[in-house]
Amino acid sequence: MGRTELTVLVTGGTSGIGRAVAEALATKGCTVLATGRNPDRLELAERIPGVRYLRLDLADPAGPDSLAEELGDLGLLDSIDVLVNNAGESQSGPFEELPAEAIERLFRTNVFGPVRLSQLVLPGMRARRRGRIIMVGSMLASFPLAHRSSYSAAKAALRAFATAARQELSPFGVWVSTVEPGSIATGIGLRRTKYLEEGSPYTQDVTTMLEHLDANERGGIPAEKVAATIVDAIVAPRPREFYSVGSRAPLPFLLKRALPRELVSKIVAAQHGLKR
Ligand SMILES: NC(=O)c1ccc[n+]([C@@H]2O[C@H](COP(=O)([O-])OP(=O)(O)OC[C@H]3O[C@@H](n4cnc5c(N)ncnc54)[C@H](OP(=O)(O)O)[C@@H]3O)[C@@H](O)[C@H]2O)c1
């Protein structure tokens, strides 16, 4: 797809990876629509010149439909060329202790919301026989980690939706790709939702894991590098099914192919201070 004539919708465009994607595409002359839960509260200095900010709360089951209605009113819904499903919640907690409502909110935010929003922009893309949908997953989907079960599972679900949908949509000129970032220094660790019961038998394990996770994130690559990968996927004539960036990718994926499954899980745990 040519670069400058694109209309792009980036969810979670107010910080981190989404903000970097919005900025990169606005700089290239794209029409960029970026979402946040409270865009009206963004300071002028936080706004990227030329980017239009819209409200979207993916934890609200009505969020994607409300956004689509607003886009329809603006005459933009059927002209979205690219959807970057980037917004997401990072959640941690022992599998045994994760509250049902936390898991449900996470799946609404990280899976059901992006899926619904994709469904709403697809008729326009299909009719014009051009479109790109990028799902921002996580390497934790490929390398699940203790006390990140809900997050790993949600990102794996999103990737499976994307991989199957790609096969349905590519005959219409619509390409769906998944981008799995590793550790990216966006400060997401500060916004992570954490669940741990008082006196939990998992306290030491969770504390150790989180210390390592946060340190890895702080030492991660900048959001702009992930944005560059996402832009590559957007402009490629035939985007790949899968991209990974950060945490020395693609090395972990090569090792995963070569090593026994349980050894890979042990290495992932060890990288987060956990002996298994
Ligand atoms: N950083 C990493 O190491 C890393 C690694 C792997 C994958 N990822 C994934 O990359 C994506 C972006 O992460 P990031 O590191 O850039 O995090 P971030 O800086 O915290 O950005 C998250 C974005 O999502 C939006 N958001 C959060 N909850 C939302 C909700 N309920 N409804 C709608 N929007 C919501 C936030 O906007 P508002 O707060 O303005 O609403 C913000 O713009 C996420 O999907 C994350 O899971 C990140």
Side-chain angles (χ1 to χ4, degrees):
M1 291 219 268
R3 288 178 181 217
T4 50
E5 75 276 23
L6 299 176
T7 299
V8 185
L9 175 60
V10 185
T11 69
T14 54
S15 80
I17 295 168
R19 188 180 198 284
V21 171
E23 187 160 36
L25 292 169
T27 306
K28 290 184 195 309
C30 294
T31 300
V32 181
L33 309 162
T35 75
R37 280 167 294 184
N38 297 294
D40 298 344
R41 286 197 216 145
L42 281 179
E43 302 285 339
L44 199 59
E46 293 174 297
R47 292 170 180 267
I48 298 161
V51 171
R52 183 170 200 158
Y53 292 89
L54 301 168
R55 195 185 123 70
L56 171 65
D57 184 352
L58 289 164
D60 173 1
D65 284 79
S66 300
L67 174 64
E69 205 178 310
E70 187 179 355
L71 289 168
D73 292 345
L74 294 168
L76 291 169
L77 183 61
D78 289 334
S79 43
I80 305 285
D81 297 300
V82 180
L83 168 62
V84 182
N85 276 311
N86 162 77
E89 174 184 338
S90 179
Q91 185 176 97
S92 73
F95 174 79
E96 186 182 341
E97 298 178 5
L98 284 171
E101 63 269 22
I103 299 174
E104 281 165 20
R105 187 192 61 243
L106 186 77
F107 270 73
R108 265 203 307 278
T109 305
N110 289 12
V111 186
F112 306 146
V115 166
R116 179 67 189 145
L117 192 56
S118 304
Q119 290 173 332
L120 292 164
V121 300
L122 273 171
M125 290 183 178
R126 222 175 7 81
R128 286 178 292 112
R129 298 191 80 81
R130 67 175 213 169
R132 301 280 185 276
I133 296 179
I134 313 287
M135 304 296 196
V136 179
S138 166
M139 274 175 65
L140 289 187
S142 295
F143 301 91
L145 172 63
H147 311 302
R148 305 290 326 265
S149 59
S150 53
Y151 181 79
S152 305
K155 292 296 193 182
L158 190 64
R159 185 185 60 207
F161 267 114
T163 306
R166 175 185 174 95
Q167 295 168 32
E168 298 170 24
L169 292 161
S170 57
F172 296 96
V174 178
W175 293 94
V176 186
S177 303
T178 299
V179 175
E180 284 194 354
S183 295
I184 317 299
T186 63
I188 194 173
L190 302 170
R191 296 178 280 283
R192 185 172 293 126
T193 46
K194 298 173 187 170
Y195 295 90
L196 186 64
E197 286 175 8
E198 214 176 305
S200 166
Y202 302 102
T203 303
Q204 183 58 54
D205 227 35
V206 170
T207 308
T208 302
M209 186 282 291
L210 284 176
E211 277 169 10
H212 284 74
L213 187 73
D214 290 343
N216 290 348
E217 190 236 295
R218 283 194 299 275
I221 61 168
E224 287 69 23
K225 289 210 171 163
V226 186
T229 300
I230 291 172
V231 172
D232 282 351
I234 290 171
V235 301
R238 191 191 163 105
R240 285 170 15 209
E241 181 178 304
F242 184 81
Y243 298 78
S244 59
V245 54
S247 298
R248 289 187 269 172
L251 183 63
F253 291 87
L254 297 173
L255 289 175
K256 191 179 176 182
R257 267 184 239 157
L259 299 176
R261 190 178 271 262
E262 287 195 21
L263 180 56
V264 173
S265 295
K266 276 186 185 179
I267 294 171
V268 174
Q271 278 179 330
H272 295 85
L274 306 177
K275 286 201 177 67
R276 290 294 183 267

